[in-house]
């Protein structure tokens, strides 16, 4: 079949009706082949049935027979033609392709170049290098232009060596002349060495690319963080300034109302005086008219009888010292502004503290109590979130971490860098202490809980909140008794702050501290005196809004 295929031509498989390659070939009884559709349509339009090729007539419509052999040949021909088209397309050169050096006339695309022959071959002319044993040993590579550049211009021999001394390619004769006693190696050896260097450099470049991509991600992350922070800051500023503007508008309305009220009182007073004066004027005009009428009377008796009543002095108010004084509006505005400034200061302080609290709440840590540090008299909840003082000491194992003298317990979590925040409910307690403590605090001796001894705390004692820098406690002035306290630590800034969470107010802040070791949350529920102060200190989840 392969041998036969070489002699196949398209004319052998054409339909004489459509003049195209046969499709679904069928044969007539006279032995001619047609497309099934073509011969069927031909006979549908004819009065007599005949063969379009030999004109043989049939008295009845012939029964068409499928020619299996012709069908196989047509299929084979179509496949062969398609492969030739694909091969021709593959072999057809494109701009920039290396051309075959052997082809005459139209040159085909080269498939390989031979480094021994220094010739480029198309698929057809390459065949000897794939079949002839001695040519199989030649080194074939992807097509290259300017193969002459691989020949030594001085000795006309192939460049197959590399002079490491001069960093140039040489032939076998160069090493006995110009490159004698130079460090010369085969091209392949130098190629492999430099390829390894190239791979290593490429790996370094990829690593450098990765680092730079990570840096880009870092910058993008910074931008995202900045965007969120900026959005949050803008939202908070809008909130603050909206509240301040509302406060200003309220106070402005109050000033206007006060001024208008003063003006209304002045206006009412003046209207009263005016009305009274108008009544007096009306009465005087009435008397004047009576006098004028009496003065024109010629009845001597009537004149004298009426004169006394008409000329009598009627008592009127002395208006000499009566005045309507405009109120001092300037004083009203000045007083209102003074009060407003004071109010704004308090409001700004409150709003800033509220913003500050929201900020530090972002650093909330899920704190749990460490039972190994708890004084024997303290009772901890199973979840490690609550502690209160019992009435008797428990029999628990002693260890170096347990507090002996203080009714004290530490949290398991700690801070040694960055920021740390937690909240504790103190509602219902009459005495308590909260804060952070150094890891190295003495847990056995009895001494003051102050910064000098490694404690940064606030205390609630006798309805007052205290803090202690040294041995002495200092009372803090608070507007209300806190029910939930937030503790914030900025380790790197040396800051420990305490907040009244519900009031969004700062209780106290230790600043300028120098921390050199781990800081642990410290809880001091104080003694339970016959049921008093029996409530627990409760570690609360932080609800940052």
């Amino acid at each position: 079949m392969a041998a036969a295929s070489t002699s196949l031509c398209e004319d052998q498989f054409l339909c004489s009706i459509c003049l195209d390659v046969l499709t679904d070939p069928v044969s007539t009884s006279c032995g001619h082949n047609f497309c099934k559709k073509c011969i069927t349509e031909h006979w549908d339009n004819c009065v007599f049935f005949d063969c379009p090729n030999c004109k043989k007539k049939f008295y009845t419509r012939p029964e068409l027979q499928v020619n299996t052999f012709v069908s196989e040949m047509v299929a084979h021909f179509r496949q062969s033609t398609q492969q030739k088209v694909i091969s021709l397309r593959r072999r057809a050169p494109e701009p920039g392709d290396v051309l075959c050096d052997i082809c005459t006339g139209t040159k085909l695309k080269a498939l390989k170049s031979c480094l021994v022959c220094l010739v480029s071959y198309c698929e057809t002319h390459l065949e000897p290098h794939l079949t002839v044993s001695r040519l199989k040993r030649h080194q074939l590579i992807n097509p290259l232009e300017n193969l002459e550049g691989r020949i030594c211009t001085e000795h006309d021999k192939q460049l197959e060596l590399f002079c490491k001394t001069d960093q140039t390619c040489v032939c076998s004769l160069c090493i006995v002349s110009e490159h004698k006693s130079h460090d010369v190696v085969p091209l392949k050896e130098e190629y492999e060495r430099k390829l390894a260097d190239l791979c290593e450099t490429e790996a370094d470049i990829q690593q450098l690319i990765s680092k730079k991509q990570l840096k880009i991600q870092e910058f993008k992350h910074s931008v995202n963080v900045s965007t969120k922070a900026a959005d949050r800051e803008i939202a908070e500023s809008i909130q603050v300034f909206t509240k301040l503007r509302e406060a200003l508008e309220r106070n402005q309305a109050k000033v206007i109302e006060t001024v208008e009220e003063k003006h209304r009182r002045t206006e009412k007073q003046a209207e009263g005086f005016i009305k009274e004066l108008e009544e007096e004027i009306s009465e005087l005009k009435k008397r004047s008219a009576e006098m004028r009428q009496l003065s024109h009377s010629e009845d001597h008796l009537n004149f004298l009888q009426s004169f006394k009543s008409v000329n009598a002095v009627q008592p009127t108010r002395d208006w000499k010292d009566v005045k309507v004084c405009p109120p001092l509006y300037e004083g009203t505005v000045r007083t209102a502004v003074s009060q407003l400034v004071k109010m704004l200061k308090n409001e700004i302080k409150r709003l800033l503290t509220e913003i500050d609290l929201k900020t530090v709440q972002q650093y909330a840590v899920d704190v749990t109590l460490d039972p190994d540090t708890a004084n024997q008299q303290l009772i901890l909840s199973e979840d490690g979130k609550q502690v209160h003082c019992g009435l008797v000491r428990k029999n628990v194992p002693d260890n170096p971490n347990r507090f002996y003298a203080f009714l004290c317990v530490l949290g398991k979590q700690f801070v040694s860098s960055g920021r740390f925040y937690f909240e504790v409910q103190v509602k219902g307690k009459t005495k308590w202490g909260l804060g952070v403590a150094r890891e190295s605090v003495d847990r056995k001796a009895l001494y003051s809980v102050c910064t000098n001894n490694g404690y940064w705390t606030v205390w609630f004692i006798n309805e007052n909140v205290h803090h202690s820098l040294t041995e002495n406690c200092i009372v803090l002035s608070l507007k209300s008794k806190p029910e939930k306290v937030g503790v914030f630590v900025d380790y790197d800034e040396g800051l420990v702050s305490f907040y009244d969470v519900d009031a969004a107010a700062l209780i106290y802040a230790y600043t300028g501290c120098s921390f050199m070791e781990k800081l642990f949350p410290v809880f001091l529920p104080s003694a339970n005196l016959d049921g008093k102060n029996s409530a627990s200190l409760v570690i609360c989840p932080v609800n940052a809004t």
Side-chain angles (χ1 to χ4, degrees):
M1 178 66 72
S5 66
T6 59
S7 61
L8 295 177
C9 68
E10 188 174 0
D11 293 342
Q12 296 174 282
F13 303 103
L14 295 181
C15 172
S16 59
I17 299 176
C18 66
L19 302 179
D20 201 353
V21 178
L22 291 166
T23 302
D24 295 332
V26 293
S27 299
T28 60
S29 58
C30 58
H32 294 112
N33 300 304
F34 304 95
C35 297
K36 183 178 180 180
K37 180 180 179 182
C38 293
I39 190 64
T40 301
E41 290 179 351
H42 174 73
W43 284 341
D44 287 343
N45 297 323
C46 292
V47 179
F48 302 103
F49 307 113
D50 62 352
C51 174
N53 275 6
C54 65
K55 304 303 180 181
K56 180 180 178 179
K57 290 183 171 51
F58 305 101
Y59 296 102
T60 59
R61 185 164 183 157
E63 184 177 348
L64 297 173
Q65 302 293 325
V66 176
N67 194 324
T68 305
F69 176 75
V70 173
S71 297
E72 291 177 354
M73 291 296 290
V74 169
H76 180 73
F77 173 77
R78 286 183 182 275
Q79 183 179 2
S80 176
T81 302
Q82 188 176 8
Q83 288 177 347
K84 286 181 180 180
V85 171
I86 293 173
S87 178
L88 286 173
R89 287 178 180 173
R90 181 164 57 87
R91 293 164 59 192
E94 296 179 359
D97 285 341
V98 178
L99 303 181
C100 176
D101 294 324
I102 308 300
C103 288
T104 58
T106 301
K107 291 184 174 291
L108 298 180
K109 176 182 176 181
L111 191 63
K112 292 288 183 181
S113 293
C114 178
L115 293 181
V116 178
C117 303
L118 297 179
V119 175
S120 296
Y121 299 101
C122 66
E123 185 177 12
T124 302
H125 294 117
L126 180 65
E127 187 175 354
H129 277 74
L130 303 177
T131 57
V132 179
S133 58
R134 63 183 179 83
L135 295 179
K136 285 182 178 180
R137 293 192 292 268
H138 289 193
Q139 185 178 356
L140 298 175
I141 61 171
N142 289 331
L144 287 178
E145 290 185 348
N146 191 26
L147 290 173
E148 294 79 7
R150 308 180 73 86
I151 299 296
C152 177
T153 56
E154 185 173 349
H155 302 107
D156 199 27
K157 291 184 68 67
Q158 185 177 347
L159 299 173
E160 53 188 8
L161 300 171
F162 184 80
C163 177
K164 298 175 70 173
T165 304
D166 293 336
Q167 291 293 300
T168 185
C169 297
V170 296
C171 70
S172 57
L173 295 180
C174 290
I175 62 176
V176 297
S177 55
E178 294 89 347
H179 298 273
K180 187 177 181 180
S181 72
H182 286 188
D183 186 5
V184 178
V185 295
L187 283 179
K188 185 178 180 181
E189 180 180 330
E190 184 65 14
Y191 160 79
E192 291 175 349
R193 188 182 70 81
K194 289 195 172 176
L195 179 61
D197 292 343
L198 186 66
C199 292
E200 184 177 348
T201 303
E202 200 273 337
D204 292 340
I205 291 174
Q206 290 299 325
Q207 187 175 7
L208 192 60
I209 290 172
S210 298
K211 289 182 179 179
K212 292 182 183 298
Q213 288 175 336
L214 287 175
K215 202 66 181 176
I216 290 173
Q217 294 301 318
E218 179 184 331
F219 291 151
K220 288 182 178 179
H221 176 70
S222 298
V223 171
N224 290 335
V225 171
S226 175
T227 300
K228 292 179 181 178
D231 291 343
R232 184 171 60 251
E233 196 69 17
I234 291 172
E236 290 174 351
S237 69
I238 291 173
Q239 180 183 3
V240 169
F241 286 104
T242 298
K243 290 183 178 180
L244 292 177
R245 185 171 62 251
E246 289 173 353
L248 286 170
E249 290 173 351
R250 285 195 303 271
N251 279 268
Q252 181 187 26
K254 187 176 180 181
V255 169
I256 292 172
E257 183 180 356
T258 301
V259 171
E260 289 179 344
E261 176 61 28
K262 287 183 177 181
H263 173 68
R264 282 194 296 272
R265 287 200 300 268
T266 302
E267 189 176 40
K268 186 176 182 181
Q269 182 186 34
E271 288 175 351
F273 291 159
I274 291 170
K275 182 178 181 182
E276 189 175 344
L277 284 168
E278 287 176 344
E279 289 176 351
E280 290 183 1
I281 290 171
S282 178
E283 184 64 27
L284 290 173
K285 285 182 177 180
K286 181 179 178 183
R287 288 181 61 201
S288 176
E290 291 175 352
M291 288 179 178
R292 192 179 300 111
Q293 182 180 4
L294 185 62
S295 67
H296 290 89
S297 175
E298 295 180 357
D299 186 346
H300 300 161
L301 177 64
N302 180 59
F303 177 86
L304 293 174
Q305 289 177 339
S306 301
F307 178 80
K308 184 177 181 180
S309 60
V310 172
N311 195 45
V313 177
Q314 300 292 331
T316 59
R317 184 172 180 174
D318 184 5
W319 293 94
K320 181 180 179 181
D321 296 326
V322 178
K323 294 180 180 180
V324 175
C325 297
L328 296 175
Y329 297 115
E330 294 80 0
T332 303
V333 174
R334 189 177 296 107
T335 301
V337 170
S338 177
Q339 293 174 349
L340 177 62
V341 169
K342 184 177 180 180
M343 182 275 297
L344 286 178
K345 286 182 178 179
N346 293 332
E347 183 68 10
I348 290 171
K349 182 179 179 181
R350 186 190 69 78
L351 290 173
L352 292 179
T353 304
E354 183 177 334
I355 292 172
D356 188 31
L357 179 58
K358 290 179 180 179
T359 301
V360 301
Q361 283 177 331
Q362 299 175 31
Y363 301 97
V365 176
D366 185 14
V367 173
T368 53
L369 302 171
D370 184 358
D372 292 336
T373 65
N375 180 279
Q376 300 96 314
Q377 202 166 335
L378 296 184
I379 300 173
L380 277 60
S381 62
E382 292 184 3
D383 62 359
K385 296 292 185 179
Q386 301 184 31
V387 58
H388 69 276
C389 181
L391 298 176
V392 297
R393 286 180 173 268
K394 296 180 294 182
N395 184 17
V396 294
D398 192 13
N399 63 66
N401 295 325
R402 192 178 302 282
F403 285 87
Y404 177 78
F406 286 135
L407 294 175
C408 180
V409 60
L410 300 181
K412 292 181 179 180
Q413 292 69 30
F414 64 87
V415 56
S416 58
S417 65
R419 296 164 181 173
F420 189 97
Y421 178 82
F422 63 96
E423 292 179 354
V424 181
Q425 179 181 299
V426 296
K427 183 179 180 181
K429 294 192 67 62
T430 57
K431 184 178 180 182
W432 51 264
L434 280 175
V436 291
R438 285 198 303 252
E439 184 179 25
S440 62
V441 292
D442 190 341
R443 314 202 180 189
K444 307 303 178 184
L446 183 63
Y447 52 83
S448 177
V449 178
C450 61
T451 57
N452 291 348
N453 295 324
Y455 293 89
W456 289 265
T457 60
V458 292
W459 284 82
F460 183 78
I461 306 171
N462 299 327
E463 297 298 317
N464 290 310
V465 177
H466 303 71
H467 77 86
S468 177
L469 294 171
T470 59
E471 299 293 330
N472 299 319
C473 290
I474 301 174
V475 178
L476 299 172
S477 176
L478 300 180
K479 291 184 178 180
S480 60
K481 175 183 175 182
E483 294 186 349
K484 184 188 291 185
V485 177
V487 182
F488 173 68
V489 179
D490 189 329
Y491 192 95
D492 303 321
E493 291 295 326
L495 172 70
V496 182
S497 303
F498 299 85
Y499 294 89
D500 181 339
V501 177
D502 296 325
L506 179 67
I507 297 174
Y508 184 73
Y510 293 93
T511 59
C513 307
S514 180
F515 303 129
M516 304 300 292
E517 55 184 278
K518 296 176 182 177
L519 297 180
F520 288 82
V522 60
F523 304 84
L524 301 107
S526 294
N528 180 356
L529 303 175
D530 296 328
K532 291 183 179 181
N533 199 36
S534 61
S536 297
L537 292 175
V538 182
I539 302 171
C540 305
V542 176
N543 296 319
T545 56

